[in-house]
Amino acid sequence: MQSIYLAIPLAPLLGAMIAGFFGWKIGRTASHIAAITGVAVAFVLSVIVFKHIVIDAAEPFNGTVYTWMVSNGINFQIGFLIDKLTAVMLIVVTFVSLMVHIYTIGYMHDDPGYQRFFSYIALFTFSMLMLVMSNNFLQLFFGWEAVGLVSYLLIGFWYKKPTAIYANLKAFLVNRVGDFGFLLGIAAVLMYTGSLDYAEVFKQAPSLSGRTMEIFDGHAWSILTVTCILLFIGAMGKSAQVPLHVWLPDSMEGPTPISALIHAATMVTAGIFMVARMSPLFELTETALSFVLVIGATTALFMGFLGLVQNDIKRVVAYSTLSQLGYMTVALGVSAYSAGIFHLMTHAFFKALLFLGAGAVIIAMHHEQDMRKMGGLRKYMPITWITSLIGSLALIGTPGFAGFYSKDAIIVAVRESSLAGAGYAYMAVLIGVFITALYSFRMYFMVFHGKERMDDHTREHLHECSKVVTVPLILLAIPSVIAGAIFVDQMAFGGFFGSAIVVDESHRIATEVTHHFDSWWGLILHSFADYPVYLAAGGVFTAWFLYMKRPDLPDMIQQRFALVHKVLVNKYGFDRFNEIVFAGGSRLLGGMFWRVGDEKLIDGLVVNGSAKSIGWFSSIARRFQSGYLYHYAFVMIIGLLLLLTWIVFR
Amino acid sequence: MNNEMAVIEMPNLALVMPEMFLLGMTCVLLVLDLFLNDRNRIITYLLAQLTLFGAVVITFSQMGGEAVTGFSGSFVRDSMGDILKIFIYVVTAIVFLYSRQYLQLRNMFRGEYYALGLFGVLGMMIMVSAHSFLTVYLGLELLSLSLYSMVALNRDSEASTEAAMKYFVLGAMASGMLLYGMSMIYGITGSLDIKEVGSYIANNGANNIILSFGLVFVVVGLAFKLGAVPFHMWVPDIYQGAQTPVTLYLGAAPKIAAFAMVMRLLVDGMEALYVDWQQMLTIMAVLSLALGNVVAIAQTNIKRMLAYSTISHVGFLLLGIIAAGPDGYSASMFYVLIYALMSTGAFGMIILLSRAGFEADTLDDFKGLNERSKWYAFIMLLIMFSMAGVPPTVGFFAKLWVLEAVLNVDMVWLAAVAVLFSVIGAYYYIRIVKLMYFDKAEDNSVIVADVDLKVVVSANGILMLVLGLFPGMLMAVCQQVLA
Amino acid sequence: MTFEKIIFYLFATILVLAAVRVITSRNPVHSALFLVLAFFSSSALWILIEAEFLAITLVLVYVGAVMVLFLFVVMMLNINVDVMREGFIKYLPIGVAVAIISAIEMGIVITGNFSGDKSPALVRKGADYSNTEAIGQVLYTEYLFAFEVAAVLLLVAIVAAISLTMRKRPNTRSQNPSSQVIVKKEDRLRVVKMDAEGKGS
């Protein structure tokens, strides 16, 4: 089994290397075959692992592959922890990644950077697998940074486009903030437990729960709370939680396949995965859990609103991703980790589906992304239409679809929670359901139904995309429908993850309360006795009414509520605030350091000064090397004599 | 009298199998070479490589287990020795491989280079496995004699002859000092056996001034072999004067042997005099770091620059020994092994760029290498980064562990000095990188070389990166053999 | 003072004086001869401590073989001593200073530690004791390894010496009689046919 574990991340890495280093030589087809084969191998092996760990219920594997180095008694290792949590993540990552790889053949068909793109996404798969398979913080951090790097490279994939460069710089900088917190969190873990190994850290965690530390004099803080919040700040960066969410909408500047793979299905869920993985730590500190809950609820609700005013098809999906990530975070906050991961899984399928569907529309529209110039596409692109409809239905939580089970589980868990902030969160997620349905179907109606608003030239060329595009859509549509019903029993409520996720006794009530609806159809029936279904239906109806029945109404509303609209269009002013305060402040500070510190002190004094003095010394010392043998001998004797003198008269 | 005859024991010949094999094969090579004409000289070369390979096999098969002494305490076989020997074989094999084409192109492809080279290897092996002052000295002389004559091998070159002469006279002086120091210590302890000397000093107190007096001479002898300041004066002249293959030979494996000598004499033999030699080595280490790094900046000849770089690396090597303890020694051992590989890589690049009638030994010859060959510019970049200690190349870890060992014994100032001069040193390594990547090439001739040379130079450079990514294994070996 | 001591100091004095003359003498031949004298004196000292084999070997090998060879070389090479001495006066003061300092230091070290009563008295063996045999016994048993290595060392010295001297010098104008003998007319002479001059004008 161990060699299988090793092969899972290495196969995509090999593919990435072949496509990256030799792509220029072996050509396009060979490159994408190499990358896809690598990922396909990883997927097949992941299925085997899933069977081994989940279905055959084998013991979790925790082992070291290679000790990178030992310093001061701390082991820096590469190792794998394979339990049910990892197995689920492996399936999700490799499956979505494989679909996106295949889809890319069609989407990037004419792009000059074809091989580069395949190399990057295969490399991303490798990094993501390393992240989820890690058994220690070091490797986690490695994977964390590696996915961040590939994300940066891919957002700026079209590096000649100024907006893309701006977006990838922004993503990079915002992630830096999160990563800084994450790194501090890891440092705190290392400082107080002396180990980077999960098992060791989790073993020691309960003994830390009462202890405090003083960062500022006189303020005693719980070590665990500080550590967990720091770690969560990392998750906020990667999983785009308010206020570190600003990079995600802009990341849509990258090619659509990566929006699906990285910025919807996998990388952005790394934060969710990480917190779930750290559940033994988070469970010990309610303060941190409340913090997680409030951040998640805020993201879930307020990012949903923004989806209502976007006209770019990809951005609507992007804000929807933000909102859904908020839901997952909320689940983490109320200790319903398994529900969070469950939603992560179903979301990965239907959000990848939605993105790829949007991508298919964009291809068909000749890279036009404005929804106001679409409409009525249903006729021209039947497969895309159907699959997108399935994706949207799954997203809004239509009973029976995958999203329904996972979202419902979260809402129930929040309702039952007694944590501080749970009331606010419950309100947020309920309203969120309505909003989700509204923006999803606003997009759906604007794109696939109604008047055909595109120009004639585009209309003439409208047709369904090739097989490499539609097949992944269909393949993704299947789990978007059925994945929820299959796994809801165990994953959402049961102890599916076993030892991988730890839930404290006092928090357990919330997660198990609905367990008596023990079958998937029982849940469907029960749902009609609760709010969410009606809220979702209301959202769909509102969307239909506003965009199909009375298309004149949205403009009117917009004028009536101009102020609200302005706030939403400006995204609550986060970007402006960051631009002025952080970016401006940094530039000011940097300019100061540059002029005073760098130009005068460092360049003038240290660099040029020392360079001059060293050059001078060097030219002097050179003269000693006269070339005369007796000089050399003499220097030796003097050296000997000095040492002797020192020893004798010491 | 008959009683004395009876106590003669049969020496355990199995212990010296690698030495015997190497000596036997070298003699065969020497004789065989007489019957070969210049066209078939390649057979000599192949036989030399075969010999080294055989030695690797034999030493490897003997590896492991406790240290065993033999020949009435003259010889010892232990794990440290085995590892060092294997590295000596491997490095020498690489050196022979690099040299072949160079020597062929200059009509210098003669059997003596390989015969003397192998004799030198024998000398190094004897030094590595020495367990008595006498054996250390004889091994050293065997190595030195081979080196002197190898430097002089190209008699038609004035520079080589001059370098050989300087090396010989200064080397003889240093050997004399070493021998004088050894005789002093022998006079006090009454033994040549390193272990007995060690236990005598430990039992009878270390504050005997004659012991310290003898120690000074021994340390000076060692410092000369290592090339530590102020006993370094030979290094730049000999590096520059000798033919590149000889410099390559001289700069790599003998450093490993010198490290072994330091370990045998100072650590095994005179650890009780730790305070004395630590102070002396500290002075020399600081001076070496300072002078080596600073003067290297002013050089225009890359061989000479690498000579000064050697001096600075020796300073680093000494730091680990100063820090003492298993950590310090293993850090030093790691450093010297890595250094040997880096140094072969750097000279290998010089040989790669040279061709008949042209020596690529000035910095200008590296200008614009990136335009001529992206791949070799990258290889040279890796080697230079490793020498400068830039992560993720292995040179960084070599420096890191030495510094860590120094910090663990609370010699913060020493670590600070080392870091300061490494930073200064980084300048001239990175200057080569700058020349390669940002300057215009002065000659645009295509790099022509045989396949084996190209492949091994590339592998050598890549190794710097690979070992940098996975330094744990080699380090674990070093720690294990010195635990 | 016993007779032995008188002999010891006599030869010791000669040894030191001869050694000084080796480096101060103007004529290299004289230097070499003084070195022979120094070897003789030290050989006498070794006889005094009953190391007959070493004493005889010193005379046989060094005086008999090495120094004679040395004298040949010195006489054949015609070394210009004055050139070699150019820097002598210039560096004399500093050289003397170094010598004095090291002498003082050695004095301090040695006088403080090597006093007569500390070192063990010489063990006198009888007339039937063979110094040569004693050396022979340890040489091939206890010091076998060192002995063999020393043998290899000599081998390397021979190889080195031969490889450095046996070579074809560039630009030498030596004759090769055998090739001169086997040369044929065709190798050297070329007959060119051409018309006689002045006929056609």
Side-chain angles (χ1 to χ4, degrees):
Chain A
M1 239 19 224
Q2 205 171 344
S3 48
I4 292 185
Y5 299 147
L6 197 58
I8 289 177
L10 290 186
L13 178 64
L14 191 68
M17 280 161 72
I18 293 172
F21 290 139
F22 307 106
W24 55 277
K25 201 162 200 173
I26 58 177
R28 290 172 163 243
T29 315
S31 297
H32 78 230
I33 288 175
I36 290 175
T37 311
V39 177
V41 167
F43 172 63
V44 172
L45 295 177
S46 300
V47 172
I48 294 173
V49 170
F50 187 79
K51 179 178 180 303
H52 179 69
I53 296 285
V54 178
I55 299 175
D56 299 348
E59 277 297 298
F61 169 85
N62 184 3
T64 303
V65 175
Y66 173 73
T67 301
W68 185 51
M69 66 175 185
V70 179
S71 179
N72 267 353
I74 300 161
N75 277 318
F76 294 94
Q77 292 172 329
I78 306 210
F80 292 146
L81 169 61
I82 313 287
D83 53 15
K84 288 180 178 168
L85 180 58
T86 310
V88 169
M89 289 302 287
L90 284 180
I91 289 283
V92 172
V93 171
T94 50
F95 178 66
V96 176
S97 175
L98 183 61
M99 291 305 111
V100 169
H101 271 74
I102 295 169
Y103 178 88
T104 301
I105 300 174
Y107 191 86
M108 300 298 284
H109 191 262
D110 303 319
D111 200 278
Y114 192 74
Q115 291 98 322
R116 183 160 60 99
F117 190 85
F118 270 102
S119 170
Y120 284 168
I121 52 175
L123 183 66
F124 167 79
T125 313
F126 159 74
S127 316
M128 192 69 198
L129 291 171
M130 286 298 275
L131 191 159
V132 298
M133 293 172 81
S134 163
N135 76 342
N136 61 69
F137 284 90
L138 178 79
Q139 191 183 334
L140 176 72
F141 188 70
F142 164 78
W144 194 265
E145 290 298 309
V147 292
L149 168 73
V150 184
S151 155
Y152 165 79
L153 290 172
L154 282 170
I155 296 171
F157 183 77
W158 287 312
Y159 52 85
K160 285 177 183 157
K161 198 165 129 191
T163 49
I165 296 303
Y166 176 78
N168 79 347
L169 186 63
K170 187 167 172 184
F172 191 76
L173 290 178
V174 174
N175 269 299
R176 264 338 45 222
V177 178
D179 292 350
F180 185 59
F182 190 48
L183 201 56
L184 284 178
I186 292 177
V189 166
L190 184 61
M191 192 166 137
Y192 289 105
T193 65
S195 175
L196 286 171
D197 200 61
Y198 289 162
E200 176 64 25
V201 171
F202 295 160
K203 205 171 77 193
Q204 291 192 24
S207 65
L208 286 176
S209 62
R211 288 174 54 193
T212 54
M213 64 197 221
E214 278 190 16
I215 294 175
F216 304 107
D217 276 341
H219 296 274
W221 290 343
S222 156
I223 289 170
L224 273 174
T225 304
V226 172
T227 306
C228 287
I229 289 180
L230 284 173
L231 288 173
F232 181 66
I233 288 175
M236 281 162 67
K238 192 93 358 189
S239 293
Q241 298 296 302
V242 171
L244 298 182
H245 66 283
V246 289
W247 64 274
L248 189 59
D250 284 11
S251 77
M252 298 302 137
E253 292 294 342
T256 305
I258 67 119
S259 303
L261 176 62
I262 301 185
H263 303 120
T266 52
M267 185 190 83
V268 289
T269 61
I272 312 296
F273 165 77
M274 189 268 284
V275 175
R277 184 51 99 204
M278 299 299 143
S279 59
L281 297 180
F282 280 83
E283 275 308 294
L284 297 168
T285 159
E286 292 209 348
T287 322
L289 283 177
S290 283
F291 181 74
V292 173
L293 180 61
V294 170
I295 294 283
T298 310
T299 310
L301 179 60
F302 289 91
M303 292 302 118
F305 283 134
L306 295 184
L308 294 175
V309 297
Q310 297 299 323
N311 288 319
D312 182 322
I313 179 167
K314 277 179 76 181
R315 287 193 179 243
V316 177
V317 191
Y319 279 106
S320 138
T321 305
L322 280 172
S323 161
Q324 297 305 310
L325 287 169
Y327 274 92
M328 298 177 210
T329 311
V330 167
L332 301 175
V334 295
S335 299
Y337 301 102
S338 43
I341 296 293
F342 185 37
H343 194 52
L344 184 162
M345 182 180 87
T346 55
H347 173 256
F349 295 134
F350 63 68
K351 191 50 65 66
L353 172 61
L354 280 174
F355 258 119
L356 296 187
V361 170
I362 292 170
I363 303 175
M365 298 291 298
H366 297 283
H367 292 269
E368 175 60 65
Q369 302 191 1
D370 194 334
M371 292 193 295
R372 285 168 297 193
K373 294 180 183 158
M374 300 178 186
L377 289 181
R378 177 174 51 139
K379 290 195 296 239
Y380 305 98
M381 311 176 70
I383 299 176
T384 311
W385 166 55
I386 293 288
T387 49
S388 296
L389 178 61
I390 292 173
S392 302
L393 287 174
L395 171 61
I396 65 168
T398 313
F401 287 83
F404 159 73
Y405 296 102
S406 50
K407 197 181 273 184
D408 221 38
I410 293 173
I411 294 170
V412 171
V414 177
R415 190 179 64 199
E416 300 298 327
S417 174
S418 54
L419 207 65
Y424 162 69
Y426 184 54
M427 287 310 295
V429 292
L430 274 187
I431 301 172
V433 171
F434 175 78
I435 301 294
T436 306
L438 183 54
Y439 66 66
S440 298
F441 274 82
R442 167 176 174 262
M443 178 182 91
Y444 169 75
F445 288 132
M446 280 177 83
V447 173
F448 291 103
H449 295 268
K451 267 213 315 254
E452 296 173 11
R453 296 179 293 272
M454 67 289 278
D455 54 40
D456 293 340
H457 174 77
T458 313
R459 183 174 319 152
E460 277 163 30
H461 291 90
L462 268 179
H463 60 84
E464 185 60 277
C465 298
S466 63
K467 280 238 167 50
V468 287
V469 172
T470 52
V471 168
L473 289 179
I474 296 167
L475 287 180
L476 279 167
I478 297 168
S480 300
V481 180
I482 62 168
I486 294 175
F487 293 109
V488 65
D489 242 13
Q490 302 157 323
M491 231 190 239
F493 307 115
F496 173 79
F497 291 108
S499 58
I501 282 173
V502 174
V503 179
D504 196 69
E505 276 305 320
S506 59
H507 303 147
R508 187 158 291 180
I509 313 139
T511 63
E512 288 188 349
V513 69
T514 48
H515 197 224
H516 49 275
F517 310 113
D518 52 357
S519 62
W520 58 274
W521 49 268
L523 275 167
I524 294 181
L525 291 180
H526 177 263
S527 70
F528 291 104
D530 210 343
Y531 312 118
V533 161
Y534 300 105
L535 285 170
V540 175
F541 177 77
T542 315
W544 174 79
F545 187 75
L546 289 178
Y547 292 93
M548 298 296 293
K549 188 85 181 155
R550 297 279 306 275
D552 53 319
L553 266 182
D555 283 340
M556 233 168 71
I557 298 172
Q558 186 179 325
Q559 273 154 23
R560 187 68 54 81
F561 298 98
L563 185 68
V564 176
H565 183 258
K566 204 174 164 199
V567 167
L568 290 181
V569 166
N570 285 327
K571 303 158 199 161
Y572 308 116
F574 274 112
D575 276 345
R576 263 188 84 74
F577 180 78
N578 287 342
E579 178 66 34
I580 293 168
V581 176
F582 290 115
S586 307
R587 273 198 292 269
L588 203 72
L589 202 67
M592 205 173 73
F593 278 130
W594 167 52
R595 260 177 237 112
V596 179
D598 197 62
E599 285 200 328
K600 296 235 169 70
L601 274 175
I602 296 179
D603 245 21
L605 197 68
V606 182
V607 175
N608 290 341
S610 60
K612 264 181 211 149
S613 56
I614 285 170
W616 174 80
F617 176 72
S618 176
S619 61
I620 297 285
R622 228 182 134 170
R623 222 166 286 162
F624 274 97
Q625 200 75 28
S626 59
Y628 289 115
L629 183 54
Y630 59 90
H631 281 176
Y632 294 3
F634 192 69
V635 169
M636 273 175 73
I637 290 176
I638 294 283
L640 171 72
L641 201 64
L642 289 177
L643 287 180
L644 270 185
T645 314
W646 187 53
I647 288 285
V648 170
F649 294 104
R650 189 170 43 145
Chain B
M1 194 154 292
N2 285 333
N3 290 345
E4 289 175 36
M5 300 286 282
V7 295
I8 297 172
E9 53 167 329
M10 187 59 197
N12 181 3
L13 290 180
L15 275 184
V16 287
M17 264 314 269
E19 281 82 357
M20 280 170 34
F21 173 76
L22 199 98
L23 176 60
M25 290 295 280
T26 313
C27 291
V28 169
L29 183 144
L30 206 54
V31 175
L32 183 73
D33 188 58
L34 290 177
F35 298 100
L36 294 175
N37 56 16
D38 279 347
R39 263 183 302 127
N40 296 331
R41 196 70 73 200
I42 193 85
I43 295 174
T44 311
Y45 161 75
L46 292 176
L47 190 65
Q49 292 288 31
L50 185 73
T51 306
L52 289 171
F53 179 73
V56 170
V57 171
I58 295 175
T59 306
F60 196 78
S61 67
Q62 285 189 337
M63 233 160 66
E66 289 294 298
V68 188
T69 53
F71 291 94
S72 316
S74 307
F75 182 92
V76 63
R77 191 212 62 77
D78 58 6
S79 315
M80 179 188 88
D82 290 339
I83 296 294
L84 292 179
K85 277 182 193 172
I86 287 177
F87 264 82
I88 288 172
Y89 306 143
V90 171
V91 167
T92 310
I94 299 174
V95 168
F96 282 176
L97 192 147
Y98 286 171
S99 325
R100 184 185 56 78
Q101 192 192 350
Y102 183 97
L103 294 172
Q104 276 175 333
L105 287 176
R106 285 163 185 73
N107 293 326
M108 285 168 53
F109 193 53
R110 290 158 51 190
E112 285 84 3
Y113 176 81
Y114 296 103
L116 289 170
L118 288 177
F119 276 125
V121 171
L122 182 65
M124 291 184 237
M125 292 162 74
I126 291 168
M127 285 159 78
V128 166
S129 284
H131 197 253
S132 122
F133 282 173
L134 194 57
T135 329
V136 173
Y137 178 73
L138 285 169
L140 174 63
E141 284 306 287
L142 186 53
L143 170 63
S144 305
L145 205 52
S146 309
L147 290 179
Y148 302 149
S149 36
M150 281 171 86
V151 173
L153 213 51
N154 185 13
R155 282 288 311 278
D156 299 329
S157 152
E158 251 181 54
S160 295
T161 317
E162 185 191 324
M165 195 63 210
K166 282 177 184 166
Y167 192 24
F168 176 68
V169 172
L170 295 174
M173 254 177 81
S175 294
M177 289 177 185
L178 182 68
L179 202 55
Y180 186 70
M182 284 176 174
S183 69
M184 282 275 180
I185 292 165
Y186 175 59
I188 294 294
T189 61
S191 176
L192 287 171
D193 188 297
I194 287 177
K195 207 183 209 165
E196 284 175 25
V197 168
S199 56
Y200 178 92
I201 299 175
N203 294 333
N204 293 290
N207 36 18
N208 185 331
I209 197 164
I210 299 184
L211 274 180
S212 309
F213 194 75
L215 178 69
V216 174
F217 283 91
V218 171
V219 167
V220 168
L222 293 176
F224 177 84
K225 269 331 298 177
L226 283 168
V229 178
F231 309 99
H232 68 288
M233 302 292 274
W234 60 279
V235 179
D237 285 20
I238 276 72
Y239 267 54
Q240 190 182 5
Q243 295 286 307
T244 311
V246 177
T247 313
L248 171 64
Y249 180 88
L250 182 86
K255 289 282 179 275
I256 301 180
F259 167 77
M261 192 160 71
V262 172
M263 288 300 291
R264 297 286 183 215
L265 288 179
L266 295 189
V267 178
D268 292 349
M270 291 185 271
E271 196 155 28
L273 294 174
Y274 170 68
V275 179
D276 285 353
W277 57 253
Q278 186 207 30
Q279 288 168 339
M280 285 189 265
L281 293 187
T282 308
I283 297 171
M284 294 196 294
V286 170
L287 288 177
S288 302
L289 283 168
L291 191 112
N293 280 319
V294 170
V295 180
I297 291 175
Q299 305 304 324
T300 52
N301 181 300
I302 191 165
K303 277 161 78 181
R304 214 172 166 80
M305 191 201 91
L306 287 173
Y308 282 103
S309 129
T310 303
I311 295 172
S312 71
H313 283 295
V314 164
F316 246 99
L317 171 67
L318 289 177
L319 290 185
I321 293 170
I322 291 163
D327 282 354
Y329 301 142
S330 53
S332 264
M333 182 169 162
F334 186 79
Y335 200 95
V336 78
L337 296 181
I338 295 307
Y339 171 72
L341 288 173
M342 290 192 295
S343 154
T344 26
F347 281 105
M349 280 300 299
I350 299 177
I351 286 185
L352 183 79
L353 296 187
S354 316
R355 49 182 187 272
F358 172 73
E359 305 279 330
D361 61 356
T362 64
L363 291 179
D364 288 348
D365 296 327
F366 280 82
K367 271 188 184 166
L369 183 60
N370 189 41
E371 291 166 28
R372 294 169 61 193
S373 162
K374 283 202 164 48
W375 175 246
Y376 292 111
F378 174 67
I379 293 294
M380 188 67 179
L381 169 115
L382 286 179
I383 295 168
M384 286 298 120
F385 273 9
S386 186
M387 283 205 163
V390 178
T393 53
V394 67
F396 167 74
F397 288 98
K399 283 193 165 59
L400 177 75
W401 277 316
V402 167
L403 290 174
E404 196 187 326
V406 172
L407 286 176
N408 281 346
V409 293
D410 291 329
M411 298 178 87
V412 179
W413 69 272
L414 194 56
V417 168
V419 169
L420 176 71
F421 284 112
S422 303
V423 171
I424 293 175
Y427 169 78
Y428 58 83
Y429 298 121
I430 292 175
R431 182 173 56 181
I432 292 191
V433 174
K434 178 230 161 202
L435 288 177
M436 291 191 304
Y437 282 90
F438 300 106
D439 284 16
K440 277 261 167 280
E442 286 182 352
D443 90 298
N444 273 314
S445 53
V446 182
I447 296 170
V448 188
D450 289 352
V451 181
D452 55 347
L453 178 60
K454 280 183 168 174
V455 169
V456 179
V457 168
S458 306
N460 199 332
I462 294 295
L463 192 65
M464 298 294 107
L465 187 64
V466 171
L467 279 176
L469 294 175
F470 307 102
M473 225 145 15
L474 185 57
M475 189 60 196
V477 169
C478 292
Q479 277 170 338
Q480 204 185 334
V481 299
L482 286 168
Chain C
M1 196 177 272
T2 62
F3 177 64
E4 262 181 37
K5 278 202 171 166
I6 295 172
I7 301 280
F8 171 80
Y9 282 112
L10 177 67
F11 279 111
T13 318
I14 295 175
L15 175 58
V16 172
L17 289 178
V20 171
R21 286 298 287 155
V22 172
I23 48 175
T24 51
S25 161
R26 282 185 156 274
N27 188 330
V29 178
H30 290 178
S31 292
L33 288 174
F34 273 116
L35 193 55
V36 170
L37 181 59
F39 281 145
F40 265 118
S41 317
S42 46
S43 153
L45 292 180
W46 282 356
I47 296 250
L48 277 179
I49 53 167
E50 296 185 354
E52 305 92 2
F53 179 75
L54 289 180
I56 291 168
T57 317
L58 185 69
V59 172
L60 285 181
V61 176
Y62 277 85
V63 178
V66 177
M67 285 317 295
V68 170
L69 207 62
F70 209 86
L71 273 174
F72 269 124
V73 174
V74 168
M75 285 194 268
M76 280 164 70
L77 283 184
N78 185 26
I79 296 163
N80 189 347
V81 187
D82 289 335
V83 176
M84 287 174 67
R85 288 183 181 281
E86 257 176 15
F88 188 76
I89 301 297
K90 192 172 148 199
Y91 292 107
L92 190 64
I94 195 162
V96 168
V98 167
I100 290 174
I101 294 172
S102 43
I104 291 172
E105 281 171 2
M106 286 187 185
I108 291 172
V109 170
I110 290 167
T111 50
N113 294 275
F114 280 124
S115 50
D117 52 321
K118 264 193 188 170
S119 48
L122 196 62
V123 184
R124 298 284 171 186
K125 293 270 168 58
D128 61 333
Y129 181 79
S130 168
N131 190 284
T132 315
E133 199 177 323
I135 289 180
Q137 270 194 358
V138 290
L139 194 59
Y140 292 104
T141 54
E142 199 174 331
Y143 295 105
L144 176 65
F145 189 69
F147 181 79
E148 294 295 340
V149 176
V152 178
L153 195 57
L154 291 178
L155 175 64
V156 174
I158 294 170
V159 173
I162 294 175
S163 74
L164 293 186
T165 45
M166 280 236 322
R167 65 192 182 107
K168 288 201 181 68
R169 282 169 190 279
N171 312 321
T172 46
R173 296 190 171 80
S174 56
Q175 292 182 326
N176 186 347
S178 65
S179 64
Q180 286 173 326
V181 167
I182 61 167
V183 83
K184 292 199 180 73
K185 187 184 79 180
E186 290 78 28
D187 296 337
R188 297 287 162 89
L189 187 70
R190 189 161 58 102
V191 180
V192 181
K193 287 224 163 66
M194 58 190 294
D195 294 334
E197 260 180 75
K199 209 177 180 182
S201 60

